[in-house]
Every structure is written in C-alpha cells, then in structure tokens.
Amino acid sequence: RRCTQMASGRGVRPRVCVVGGGFGGVYTTLKLLKMPWTRLTRPEITLVSSEERFCFLPMLYELLIADVDEWEIAPRLEDLLKYAAAEAPTPLKPTTHLTIGKMVGMNAKKNTVDVERATSAAVSITYDYLVLALGNEPATDVVPGSEEHALPFHRLDDARRLLSKVEDLERRTRGRQIKVYVVGGGYSGVELACMLSERLKERGSIRLVDRGSVLERSVEHNRVTARAALANYGVSVETGITVAEVAPDSIAIESKDGLGREPADLVVWTAGSRPNRLLRNLELPTDERGRVQADDRLLVNSTTNVFALGDSAAVIDATGFEAKATAQSAFQQADSVSANLFRAIMKRELRPYRYQHLGEMLVLGREATVSGLGASLDGASAFAARRAAYLARMPTATHAAKVGASWAL
C-alpha cells in the first residue's frame, strides 16, 4: 500500500506522537493538553489508536447486565480530545490529531512511526518525542481450539461479541441450562463469572476454572468477599484444572482425576495476557517477556526521546517497586510521562516516577469489594464507592459530568 507522510515540514513546535488508545496513551494525551505551554513550546500531538473509542475497561463487565450504557464507558476519542481542549486552562493549547490505525513499525534513527489504516493509505508519522502505550493482548492461542472457539474479554468488541453470544443462547436454549466455562481465576475471571451469573440467573450453569488458585494475588478481604459472592451466585469454582482443548460445543479439562470432556455452550478465556507482539520487532530494548524496558523516568533505555508506559512497559519506579499491569498503574504513569514530556520540551530535568498503591476494587454482580487506603468495604457500599471512584477517573470533566448525570437518573 502507498505510504503517505503525515508530518509537516520541521518547524519550531515540537511533535509528539502517542501510540495507544487505552488508559496510558489517552490519559497522557489529555494531560498534555492541560500543561502551561508557551506559544513556541506547545506541541503538535498525534494520538494513534486502533479503535475509535476509548474503553474504560474496569467497567466493561457492567455492559453484560445493562448497568451502564456503552457511551458512558466507551466515549469517542474525537469527543474526548474536543472536551479536553475546551477544558484546558490556557489559550495556548497543543494541536491534536487523531489517527485511527495500527502501528506496524518504527525507524528510531529517522524518528518515524509507520501506521496501517483500514480505510486509507498507510502513513508515516514523524515525531520529536514518542510515547508507546501499546498495552497487553489476550493470550488465547495457548491450547488447541481456544483461539477459534473461546471468547476473550479484553476490549469493547469482545464485550459486544460476548453479549451477542449470550443473547443468542438465551433465545436458542429454552428449557435447559446454558453451560458456561470461564477460564482464569484472576480479577477478570471472577468479575466476569459473577456478571454472567447475575445475567443468566437460574438459566446459567457457570464454572470458573483455573490451574492455580482464585485471586491468588489479591488482598485477603477481597479474596474472602469474592469467594462468598461466587458461592452466593452458585458459581462452581474448580482449581487445579488445566484446559486441554476447546471445541465448538465442548471443553476438554484435565484434573487429578484425569482427562475429561464436558459440554459447553460458551467458553470465555481470561487466563493470561502478553505484551503487544509488535514490540519485539522494534529497535528498542525488551525484557524476557517482550516488554519495552524503561528507566524510572519512563524513558526507554538507550533513548532520549521515547517514553513507554502501561502493560507493555517494564518499569521499576524510584523506590524499586514494579507495579502490576492495572489501570491504576497506567493512570499514575500517564501523570509522570505527561509531566516529563513537558519538562523535556521545556528543557528541564526529568523526574522519577513513584507508584502509590491506592487499593483494589472488584465488581461482583450488583455488589463489589473494595480494599485500600486503610479501609475495606463490601456489598452495596463498596459498589457505590467504586462507582464514585471511577466517575472521578473518567477522561475529561465534561464526560464525567455527562456520565454522572446519567447515573443519577
């Protein structure tokens, strides 16, 4: 395909390219719009995203029970950039461009990023500063049939496909239970099992399987509360289970009793993720897991103008702590990257990133569990606290106000 040049001739204004439409990339871009730029330093920012909408992933589960509307948790990126520009406290705002496409390569020597677009020619974007926030991708191809017959739950399109599949099963399986397997006993698997049980009620037979234990990395209060919620919903929790194969209407599982095959109307795969595979093909240092290696300033090792953050970045903060791959980490890293980009452009010294753990929250059907900052909540109070916390974290004040008004109705 013909490749066109997206950048204008080099001028005095710095060019920033942010790759990734998730928490890391979007929040970095929005925060850059609020910095106190001068006329000559305000940058031209290009946000590259494979999706037209930003997805507030921690609330994706609520779509399954119509507890939120899609627009509330998945606003259009174009709208968010418009809102942020209007909210910026200074008239000297950066110029923003949105490119919908997939990054396929880069040339670190020429400072260019190559992007494939579905609806038009490929583009080469020239940058002075690059931010990589490519995120993780689900590891669904680990056993025979899992990629073809199991549904991931990682993006907005995944939620749409899952909801469509559930609606189809509700129509086609009258008179018998819908047999559902959720593979993976981490945060996503537990939240999803509760939501599917809330949706299907007595029509669903939900089995949560994991080869290890459930929520093994969670805090004790949340583990206990989640186990109670799973039991109340009637979810069968089975540990020490290895999935051997996924077929169109069955699943093969191996346990201490041997290998067996069970009928399955729906298999949802939440067991594991991996860094974006593109990163291994770039001219950047990566660790053994394929994550870009960056220092405590979130500056990629051996570079002076490339930052990395989020799930696909291997970062140890100034205290020696390596945070989990969570939205909370991405929020905080976006604060640090945007601030250090501002400092770099203003010719100031970069500052190290320090992670602050604020706790963790899980939604368990129409209730929740919250632990953090010295407090532990569960039930309806935790659900309300979680909603309030996420409303405060919504991208842009304008969108948060619209969502808050919708939830108040």
Side-chain angles (χ1 to χ4, degrees):
R1 297 170 68 181
R2 185 175 62 87
C3 186
T4 60
Q5 194 78 9
M6 279 276 298
S8 58
R10 183 171 180 84
V12 293
R13 291 178 59 189
R15 294 161 297 185
V16 176
C17 179
V18 181
V19 183
F23 280 103
V26 169
Y27 281 71
T28 295
T29 302
L30 298 180
K31 290 174 186 297
L32 283 172
L33 286 167
K34 298 181 179 180
M35 295 294 179
W37 302 104
T38 66
R39 182 174 60 85
L40 294 181
T41 60
R42 61 190 181 110
E44 294 184 15
I45 305 171
T46 300
L47 174 61
V48 178
S49 172
S50 59
E51 308 288 342
E52 292 184 351
R53 292 179 178 272
F54 164 75
C55 184
F56 200 95
L57 287 175
M59 300 196 73
L60 194 58
Y61 311 94
E62 278 98 317
L63 282 179
L64 298 177
I65 59 172
D67 230 20
V68 295
D69 292 329
E70 187 175 291
W71 70 266
E72 295 170 347
I73 64 162
R76 291 173 56 85
L77 287 171
E78 188 176 333
D79 291 337
L80 293 181
L81 294 177
K82 180 179 66 176
Y83 297 156
E87 294 168 13
T90 171
L92 297 173
K93 305 179 184 70
T95 304
T96 58
H97 310 279
L98 176 62
T99 298
I100 303 300
K102 180 180 179 181
M103 177 180 174
V104 294
M106 67 176 290
N107 188 319
K109 293 181 180 178
K110 294 183 178 180
N111 284 359
T112 59
V113 167
D114 299 321
V115 178
E116 287 282 354
R117 299 185 294 184
T119 58
S120 55
V123 294
S124 179
I125 302 172
T126 302
Y127 63 84
D128 297 303
Y129 296 93
L130 175 64
V131 178
L132 293 175
L134 290 166
N136 277 349
E137 56 189 31
T140 56
D141 56 352
V142 291
V143 301
S146 57
E147 189 167 29
E148 295 84 2
H149 307 302
L151 296 182
F153 196 79
H154 190 73
R155 302 161 53 237
L156 178 61
D157 281 348
D158 296 336
R160 290 168 172 165
R161 287 175 59 205
L162 178 56
L163 184 57
S164 176
K165 177 71 172 179
V166 168
E167 290 171 343
D168 180 60
L169 287 170
E170 287 171 330
R171 289 191 297 268
R172 291 194 295 107
T173 58
R174 299 192 183 279
R176 70 169 179 86
Q177 282 194 312
I178 300 170
K179 299 183 182 300
V180 179
Y181 277 81
V182 178
V183 182
Y187 298 102
S188 183
V190 168
E191 292 179 295
L192 197 51
C194 288
M195 279 299 177
L196 286 169
S197 185
E198 172 68 30
R199 166 77 188 227
L200 296 173
K201 295 185 168 53
E202 68 279 355
R203 292 199 60 193
S205 171
I206 316 293
R207 297 174 71 176
L208 176 65
V209 299
D210 194 285
R211 61 185 177 184
S213 61
V214 172
L215 291 180
E216 59 186 3
R217 297 169 61 186
S218 183
V219 298
E220 181 67 15
H221 172 79
N222 286 355
R223 279 201 305 270
V224 171
T225 305
R227 287 170 185 160
L230 290 166
N232 289 338
Y233 273 120
V235 175
S236 175
V237 178
E238 302 170 32
T239 57
I241 300 292
T242 300
V243 177
E245 182 186 8
V246 182
D249 56 2
S250 66
I251 184 170
I253 55 177
E254 189 170 1
S255 67
K256 58 182 176 54
D257 299 322
L259 180 66
R261 184 174 292 275
E262 300 286 343
D265 297 302
L266 171 64
V267 177
V268 188
W269 198 276
T270 71
S273 59
R274 60 185 166 221
N276 192 300
R277 283 173 281 191
L278 168 68
L279 295 171
R280 291 189 181 273
N281 301 323
L282 303 181
E283 306 166 18
L284 299 172
T286 56
D287 68 1
E288 68 282 355
R289 292 171 53 190
R291 299 177 301 171
V292 174
Q293 293 179 308
D295 62 22
D296 61 7
R297 301 167 298 173
L298 297 163
L299 194 64
V300 174
N301 294 349
S302 305
T303 73
T304 59
N305 65 339
V306 181
F307 294 84
L309 73 160
D311 299 346
S312 284
V315 179
I316 297 177
D317 76 359
T319 68
F321 179 77
E322 183 175 4
K324 300 175 185 177
T326 63
Q328 181 181 167
S329 295
F331 283 136
Q332 296 184 34
Q333 290 176 354
D335 284 338
S336 186
V337 168
S338 57
N340 273 341
L341 271 168
F342 177 75
R343 294 185 187 105
I345 292 171
M346 301 297 286
K347 308 301 182 187
R348 300 174 185 172
E349 184 177 356
L350 306 188
R351 294 180 183 174
Y353 152 73
R354 287 180 173 83
Y355 175 75
Q356 181 183 6
H357 186 62
L358 302 176
E360 64 180 37
M361 302 183 285
L362 286 82
V363 64
L364 305 169
R366 296 194 183 276
E367 296 188 348
T369 180
V370 174
S371 291
L373 300 180
S376 296
L377 300 172
D378 54 61
S381 60
F383 188 89
R386 175 180 174 273
R387 276 286 177 102
Y390 283 155
L391 183 62
R393 282 293 194 178
M394 284 288 169
T396 78
T398 303
H399 183 67
K402 292 182 176 183
V403 173
S406 176
W407 289 354
L409 295 177

